[in-house]
């Protein structure tokens, strides 16, 4: 595959079949937990869009979807700790069973901020599913109900995750080694 860039510094960490298998398992678990209820999925753009698209097809529930965009990284490999809402939700979450869908939990600052913000809007319940988690990087402890994979502290791209807006289209999760 030619992406118009040097891909020799990408190493597959989680391949397509592992992603599919784990996403299906998460879907089954969430479906059991929310059986008979309406579930409102809040996807955090842009990184979580691929995960959401796959996960929701493993949720045979009465679901609705909304999107929120935040920025916590200013095109760098390191978090600034600052979280800004770039695009807010279209509809109210008051009284609804809300599941926040994230791509990766790194320092925890983004999800911590989002949970506090969404909590203040009085949902009936509020939980988080994240595809990836880097426990060794955590600054803020956040309670996450569903975790796909715990991974090492390396910077990863693919399956929605980017480095400077690139690599989101890779079908698997890869470790990105940057020569700077
Ligand atoms: P946190 O606030 O440090 O937990 O960072 C969460 C956000 O940073 C995620 O939603 C991602 O957008 C981004 N992020 C953190 N680690 C990585 C990574 O390894 N690759 C790509 N994006 C990352
Ligand atoms: Mg993100």
């Amino acid at each position: 595959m030619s992406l118009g860039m040097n891909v020799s510094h990408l190493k597959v960490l989680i391949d397509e079949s592992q992603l599919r298998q784990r996403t299906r398992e998460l879907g089954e678990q969430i479906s059991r937990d929310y059986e008979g209820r309406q579930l409102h999925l809040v996807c955090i753009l842009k990184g979580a869009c691929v995960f959401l698209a796959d996960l929701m097809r493993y949720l045979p529930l009465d679901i609705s979807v909304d999107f929120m965009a935040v920025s916590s990284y200013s095109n760098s490999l390191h978090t600034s700790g600052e979280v800004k809402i770039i695009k807010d939700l279209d509809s109210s979450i008051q009284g609804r069973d809300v599941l926040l869908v994230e791509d990766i939990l790194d320092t925890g600052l983004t999800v911590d901020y989002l949970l506090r913000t969404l909590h203040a809007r009085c949902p009936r319940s509020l939980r988080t599913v994240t595809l990836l988690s880097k426990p060794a990087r955590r600054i803020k402890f956040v309670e996450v109900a569903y975790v796909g994979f715990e991974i090492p502290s390396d910077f990863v791209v693919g399956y929605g995750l980017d480095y400077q807006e690139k690599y989101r289209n890779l079908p698997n999760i890869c470790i990105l080694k940057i020569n700077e």
Side-chain angles (χ1 to χ4, degrees):
M1 168 169 55
S2 172
L3 290 172
M5 58 192 100
N6 175 15
V7 290
S8 63
H9 51 303
L10 291 172
K11 188 172 152 270
V12 176
L13 179 68
I14 306 169
D15 69 25
E16 284 176 85
S17 73
Q18 291 172 292
L19 285 165
R20 198 176 313 116
Q21 156 90 15
R22 187 68 187 122
T23 305
R24 185 190 291 121
E25 287 171 4
L26 288 171
E28 286 167 356
Q29 198 185 344
I30 293 166
S31 301
R32 278 195 301 273
D33 293 353
Y34 289 89
E35 204 188 330
R37 283 149 75 182
Q38 292 183 332
L39 181 60
H40 190 58
L41 302 172
V42 168
C43 173
I44 307 307
L45 296 172
K46 303 172 191 168
C49 71
V50 178
F51 177 46
L52 170 82
D54 283 346
L55 179 68
M56 67 196 281
R57 282 177 283 182
Y58 292 117
L59 298 175
L61 298 168
D62 184 358
I63 64 149
S64 48
V65 180
D66 205 346
F67 298 89
M68 201 164 179
V70 296
S71 92
S72 48
Y73 281 67
S74 49
N75 275 348
S76 92
L77 285 176
H78 304 283
T79 181
S80 57
E82 266 174 53
V83 179
K84 203 169 81 189
I85 295 180
I86 295 166
K87 183 226 171 284
D88 209 337
L89 298 173
D90 289 340
S91 56
S92 166
I93 58 164
Q94 191 175 353
R96 301 172 98 166
D97 287 313
V98 175
L99 183 63
L100 193 66
V101 181
E102 249 294 30
D103 50 1
I104 187 165
L105 201 63
D106 187 30
T107 62
L109 291 167
T110 305
V111 169
D112 177 66
Y113 173 84
L114 286 169
L115 288 177
R116 282 186 285 114
T117 304
L118 296 180
H119 226 3
R121 301 181 187 183
C122 304
R124 178 170 182 246
S125 69
L126 178 59
R127 284 184 181 171
T128 305
V129 56
T130 185
L131 176 66
L132 307 172
S133 172
K134 295 178 185 173
R137 295 258 311 155
R138 206 75 83 247
I139 291 172
K140 266 272 196 278
F141 172 79
V142 279
E143 204 185 308
V144 173
Y146 313 98
V147 177
F149 300 90
E150 294 206 332
I151 61 169
S153 296
D154 310 86
F155 197 85
V156 291
V157 293
Y159 198 71
L161 289 107
D162 74 306
Y163 172 61
Q164 296 184 350
E165 294 302 324
K166 288 185 200 129
Y167 308 111
R168 294 193 195 275
N169 53 333
L170 295 176
N172 32 44
I173 299 285
C174 298
I175 293 174
L176 176 70
K177 295 270 183 244
I178 294 161
N179 315 304
E180 296 182 301

